[in-house]
Amino acid sequence: MALRINTLLLVIFASFLVIAPDCSFATSLRYDLENAWHAHLQASRSGNESELQKTMSSYSLCTLKNKLVSAQRSLTPDIIKSFAKYGPDISEMEFARLLEKGENAGLVYVRDSGKKDADGNPTVTFSAIKFVKESGWKVEATMNCDKPMYRDDGYKTQFYMSDLRPACAMDGKVKPPPALVQTPYSTALLDIFSYGYQAQIMVNGVPQKPVTASWSGVVIGGLCKDKNEISIKMTKIDDARLSVPKIRIRQLLKNRTTREVLKFAPQTNIEGVHTFTVSVR
């Protein structure tokens, strides 16, 4: 009997040794990520782009600069400082979960939303910070969940990976930075309504953000004077949500009004690549 008890204790102890390093690693990773977040906040408060570059992923930084240049703006100290002003304040939140996949990691925090549901139960909201391993951990994106959630005790609820927005999704990869674009002849706006299809637009060889629902934003790279080559690739992804896609590109004029230069709303032969040439003056 004594031998059996000693054997059982040995097995339990050995199991603890296997589990303990994982717990220790998770604690260490959380510590590293929180330090990386605080370094990012400090860099943001400085308003210095070279300091921001040390703490922000190259993909996110170049994507941001391209959006600004395409709108004929630049990355100013005030914009850099806004990252710290509007980023999640984890000092006022409770740690909820550590996420990790490949070269990605994330921190999830929870806080009381200050609101109650229809039954009077208090609700909570989550915030997430995504990091990528790029010469150390760097911030890729942040998000707040759109809606408060709750469980029966009104305090916490399970955080679902599906709640992560695409920018914060854990795909395990480090995305390469996009090539920097030049200030365009004309800023343009892209409006996409594409349920059931993925729309991938290229404007003068510059890829735009792939869209699978609805989205509006600045055309990266803008429009050239005179001739512009545009391609639209439509791929069916969800038969249950199919609807007629509508895509348009609007030139932003000097008086801040817009002029439609392309409208795409096919009733048939939707899938595939569609090419257009539009002229801008």
Side-chain angles (χ1 to χ4, degrees), residues 106-163:
L107 296 172
V108 180
Y109 296 86
V110 63
R111 70 186 306 172
D112 186 347
S113 71
K115 300 178 181 179
K116 296 184 178 181
D117 66 8
D119 297 323
N121 297 313
T123 60
V124 298
T125 56
F126 288 92
S127 293
I129 307 169
K130 178 184 178 181
F131 301 83
V132 295
K133 190 177 291 184
E134 185 182 275
S135 64
W137 290 109
K138 291 187 176 183
V139 175
E140 174 104 325
T142 65
M143 62 162 283
N144 295 313
C145 286
D146 292 328
K147 58 184 179 180
M149 296 177 285
Y150 68 95
R151 69 179 189 187
D152 291 340
D153 65 8
Y155 180 53
K156 285 184 180 179
T157 186
Q158 177 66 41
F159 177 83
Y160 299 99
M161 294 293 283
S162 59
D163 292 324

Side-chain angles (χ1 to χ4, degrees), residues 203-233:
V203 179
N204 297 321
V206 179
Q208 309 299 309
K209 172 184 177 180
V211 176
T212 56
S214 62
W215 180 85
S216 294
V218 174
V219 173
I220 302 302
L223 297 174
C224 301
K225 187 176 182 180
D226 297 325
K227 186 178 178 181
N228 292 269
E229 301 294 341
I230 298 168
S231 70
I232 300 174
K233 181 179 179 181

Side-chain angles (χ1 to χ4, degrees), residues 185-202:
Y185 167 74
S186 180
T187 295
L189 304 176
L190 175 62
D191 305 309
I192 301 176
F193 178 89
S194 180
Y195 286 88
Y197 297 91
Q198 181 186 74
Q200 175 63 74
I201 290 88
M202 297 269 289

Side-chain angles (χ1 to χ4, degrees), residues 212-263:
T212 56
S214 62
W215 180 85
S216 294
V218 174
V219 173
I220 302 302
L223 297 174
C224 301
K225 187 176 182 180
D226 297 325
K227 186 178 178 181
N228 292 269
E229 301 294 341
I230 298 168
S231 70
I232 300 174
K233 181 179 179 181
M234 303 298 296
T235 306
K236 187 189 296 184
I237 59 171
D238 188 349
D239 286 322
R241 302 184 71 195
L242 286 181
S243 60
V244 176
K246 297 179 179 63
I247 298 171
R248 64 175 181 167
I249 294 178
R250 294 174 292 143
Q251 179 188 11
L252 185 63
L253 304 177
K254 291 182 179 180
N255 62 2
R256 308 311 292 176
T257 61
T258 62
R259 180 177 71 90
E260 187 174 273
V261 297
L262 176 69
K263 183 176 182 179

